């Protein structure tokens, strides 16, 4: 529900806010990222696959492998424009 602290919790995990109490410990191999709800992309006509290929200079098979691990391999996701 609204106001329950979901966004604040994610910001704490992304180390954008400090927790009021306690500590958060991450694995040494953990990678934390956050995409704001109001993100602005320089070219919103790109598909997710095209964007990731340009951003990370990886071959399509490697991007598909990474997306598969996040359950985003469906063509409806990777061939959709990012706008």
């Amino acid at each position: 529900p609204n106001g329950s602290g979901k966004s604040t919790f994610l910001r704490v995990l992304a180390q954008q806010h400090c927790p009021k109490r306690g500590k958060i410990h991450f694995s040494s191999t953990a990678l934390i990222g956050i995409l704001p709800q109001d993100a602005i992309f320089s070219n919103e006509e790109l598909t997710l696959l095209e964007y990731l290929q340009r951003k990370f200079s990886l071959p399509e098979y490697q991007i598909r492998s990474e997306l598969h691990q996040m359950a985003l391999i469906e063509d409806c996701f990777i061939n959709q424009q990012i706008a």
Side-chain angles (χ1 to χ4, degrees):
N2 289 339
S4 62
K6 300 178 299 291
S7 295
T8 301
F9 175 67
L10 292 174
R11 287 186 190 106
V12 169
L13 289 179
Q15 299 177 333
Q16 293 180 343
H17 282 62
C18 293
K20 290 183 178 180
R21 291 180 293 187
K23 295 181 180 180
I24 297 176
H25 298 276
F26 295 101
S27 162
S28 62
T29 59
L31 296 174
I32 306 295
I34 189 167
L35 178 64
Q37 291 179 2
D38 55 353
I40 298 173
F41 295 96
S42 59
N43 185 346
E44 295 183 349
E45 294 182 9
L46 293 176
T47 65
L48 175 60
L49 180 60
E50 292 166 336
Y51 174 79
L52 293 173
Q53 283 177 309
R54 291 179 186 189
K55 176 78 175 171
F56 298 107
S57 300
L58 296 172
E60 182 175 335
Y61 76 88
Q62 192 170 355
I63 292 172
R64 285 181 176 272
S65 174
E66 294 291 330
L67 292 173
H68 179 70
Q69 292 179 27
M70 294 182 280
L72 296 175
I73 193 62
E74 301 293 329
D75 282 342
C76 64
F77 293 117
I78 63 174
N79 291 323
Q80 184 175 359
Q81 291 181 337
I82 58 176

